[in-house]
Amino acid sequence: MENNVVIIGGGAAGMMAAITAARSGHKVHVLEKNEKLGKKLFITGKGRCNVTNDCDVETLLKNVVTNSKFLYSAFYSFNSQDMMAFLQELGLPLKTERGNRVFPASDKSSDVIRVLERQMKQLGVCIHLKSTAKRIVIRDGHVAAVEYDHENQKELLPASRVIVATGGLSYKSTGSDGDGYAFAKDAGHTVTKLMPSLVPLNIREDWCKSLQGLSLKNVRAEFYQGKKKLYEDFGEMLFTHYGVSGPLILSGSAYILKALEKSEPIRLCIDLKPALSFEQLDARILRDFGENINRQFGNSLSALLPSKLIPVVVELSGIDGRKTVNAISREERHQLVRLLKNLTMTVEGTRDYNEAIITRGGVSVKEINPSTMESRKVSGLYFAGEVLDLDALTGGFNLQIAWSSAWLAGNNL
């Protein structure tokens, strides 16, 4: 039992912790409730698995939204270049795409899981599938065992170290049901408020729903509450049957969660033509109007906007779509420019955990040693990955949190 390490959860953090602990000479057991390892990892990055972001540590930290200072030790001990080298040594070729996002060269998340699982087996890690941890046994302030269910049989696994790597609440279908938070609370830990993050948004306006399926590239999004700007960025977004999604919106969601708890509404303002100033866009529209001088306004915007967006813009502009272009006044044209530079909608709230990439909130990092990931309350108890109150933007940063925190835990048992 002396070197028995039990890891609860066989996802990204669990597999990394298992490999590093086994390399350090420990006897490692992984309890995974699913029939296979890495179920959430399998669907990340639309099944391509954005394993990390090829950037320096300062950039990693800048992309962490919650408790970035806690990750200094983890990121400086095991950074994204270390992770890339780690996977390449295991025989997984990688490639880097725009935004420094790193993927397996094959574009298959299953290849990432395969090399990690193969390494675990080579190191003699005992993988217990369809095994659901029920309770961490703690005696005299130290972990002693883990009780688990395997095919309706209760089992007890003695342990001198336990690493909780259960993930959060996002994508329940992968087994993320928040049991790690229950283990933490039972051990006397605080769990901060939980919310879905990196999540699509519900929009109040009906016209938004009529744009379902329309993807916009190179637009600027700004979120406001009253006069306060909560977030702004540039990129790609998607209209859906309930509102908006896409990388730009998912990143923005991480910055508006607290504001959503207040009664004051949040406005999402989209600049459809961020590369053009007001005057440049006005000149461009004037030019288009000149080429369509006798056409109706509703038929004059096809060079400027995607066809799906035209009826919405016509309606919101307040200009009669049947009006001929040569009859449109300067003020009406300026109204159109203002609309294209500031298409505004009202955020009603977020979608639920089943559509959220990650969970905001988790085990309070104040109660965890940042140099080892060990609990400050129970000796021999460690936490790694999404179960902790840590979250970052899209682009491979959340997976890097999982890898780095798990590497630190596995190396400091």
Side-chain angles (χ1 to χ4, degrees):
M1 134 128 188
E2 188 41 51
N3 280 334
N4 236 14
V5 175
V6 175
I7 296 168
I8 306 175
M15 290 191 281
M16 173 58 89
I19 291 167
T20 51
R23 284 180 178 180
S24 303
H26 297 280
K27 179 66 188 157
V28 180
H29 295 263
V30 174
L31 298 177
E32 170 51 60
K33 65 171 68 158
N34 290 308
E35 71 292 348
K36 58 185 177 192
L37 296 171
K39 222 166 172 186
K40 185 175 175 186
L41 203 54
F42 185 70
I43 59 170
T44 59
K46 294 178 181 159
R48 296 172 62 219
C49 193
N50 180 189
V51 286
T52 188
N53 193 286
D54 185 9
C55 62
D56 60 24
V57 173
E58 284 309 307
T59 307
L60 281 179
L61 291 164
K62 271 190 200 119
N63 281 277
V64 176
V65 180
T66 309
N67 295 319
S68 62
K69 285 193 176 115
F70 176 82
L71 286 162
Y72 269 63
S73 216
F75 282 165
Y76 276 106
S77 302
F78 190 79
N79 61 30
S80 41
Q81 284 75 37
D82 296 327
M83 185 59 202
M84 290 162 71
F86 174 86
L87 288 172
Q88 284 163 328
E89 279 160 22
L90 294 183
L92 183 73
L94 300 172
K95 61 176 176 179
T96 303
E97 296 186 3
R98 65 182 175 81
N100 294 328
R101 293 163 191 246
V102 180
F103 293 89
S106 65
D107 278 332
K108 289 187 180 139
S109 55
S110 53
D111 287 349
V112 181
I113 299 161
R114 186 176 47 78
V115 298
L116 294 170
E117 186 170 3
R118 188 175 65 205
Q119 177 67 7
M120 287 163 72
K121 286 176 174 166
Q122 282 169 355
L123 291 164
V125 173
C126 298
I127 301 166
H128 306 257
L129 298 174
K130 299 183 189 167
S131 298
T132 305
K134 290 294 182 189
R135 184 169 74 95
I136 299 170
V137 181
I138 297 165
R139 294 195 193 109
D140 303 324
H142 198 291
V143 296
V146 177
E147 195 179 281
Y148 69 100
D149 277 358
H150 176 66
E151 292 174 347
N152 296 325
Q153 293 287 313
K154 267 200 171 12
E155 308 273 353
L156 194 69
L157 199 52
S160 60
R161 308 278 186 281
V162 173
I163 301 176
V164 178
T166 49
L169 285 166
S170 313
Y171 297 123
K172 281 193 167 58
S173 59
T174 64
S176 303
D177 59 6
D179 48 3
Y181 305 129
F183 299 141
K185 283 179 181 168
D186 288 346
H189 278 279
T190 310
V191 173
T192 62
K193 183 168 182 174
L194 303 169
M195 291 177 262
S197 188
L198 300 184
V199 62
L201 301 174
N202 292 320
I203 296 294
R204 181 181 299 164
E205 286 75 12
D206 280 338
W207 58 259
C208 189
K209 297 165 185 60
S210 70
L211 296 173
Q212 178 182 349
L214 175 64
S215 178
L216 298 177
K217 288 187 168 74
N218 305 324
V219 295
R220 176 169 290 284
E222 297 180 335
F223 289 90
Y224 288 92
Q225 190 166 47
K227 288 181 179 171
K228 186 181 179 190
K229 188 188 284 185
L230 302 170
Y231 180 75
E232 73 167 301
D233 204 3
F234 175 87
E236 193 176 329
M237 67 175 286
L238 172 73
F239 288 96
T240 65
H241 64 285
Y242 51 77
V244 287
S245 186
L248 185 57
I249 301 300
L250 297 180
S251 290
S253 74
Y255 287 91
I256 66 167
L257 292 174
K258 283 199 169 74
L260 277 169
E261 295 176 344
K262 299 175 187 166
S263 57
E264 195 175 358
I266 291 174
R267 301 186 318 284
L268 166 58
C269 306
I270 304 295
D271 183 346
L272 295 167
K273 301 288 175 185
L276 302 176
S277 68
F278 184 95
E279 292 72 24
Q280 287 169 324
L281 182 54
D282 188 36
R284 159 80 200 267
I285 291 170
L286 206 51
R287 211 163 50 243
D288 286 359
F289 280 2
E291 288 163 12
N292 295 279
I293 200 129
N294 295 314
R295 295 183 80 175
Q296 291 185 336
F297 171 54
N299 299 324
S300 70
L301 298 171
S302 55
L304 191 67
L305 298 169
S307 56
K308 211 168 193 176
L309 194 54
I310 292 171
V312 171
V313 165
V314 169
E315 188 189 337
L316 294 175
S317 72
I319 304 166
D320 186 340
R322 292 162 304 186
K323 197 172 192 175
T324 54
V325 164
N326 59 11
I328 289 175
S329 69
R330 182 167 177 267
E331 183 42 48
E332 284 176 319
R333 197 180 70 242
H334 283 182
Q335 213 166 294
L336 174 62
V337 177
R338 279 193 290 274
L339 174 65
L340 297 178
K341 296 291 286 175
N342 193 20
L343 182 66
T344 302
M345 50 204 101
T346 314
V347 179
E348 295 263 78
T350 69
R351 304 297 285 169
D352 67 13
Y353 286 109
N354 287 321
E355 293 177 56
I357 294 176
I358 53 156
T359 308
R360 160 78 54 87
V363 179
S364 171
V365 296
K366 292 174 186 161
E367 300 163 359
I368 307 295
N369 180 337
S371 311
T372 62
M373 297 293 143
E374 187 175 12
S375 161
R376 295 189 191 274
K377 292 180 174 281
V378 176
S379 181
L381 178 62
Y382 296 74
F383 293 89
E386 199 184 337
V387 71
L388 289 160
D389 183 13
L390 301 164
D391 63 278
L393 298 180
T394 59
F397 301 106
N398 286 290
L399 264 179
Q400 189 59 44
I401 291 176
W403 306 129
S404 295
S405 59
W407 187 91
L408 210 51
N411 273 300
N412 284 285
L413 297 169

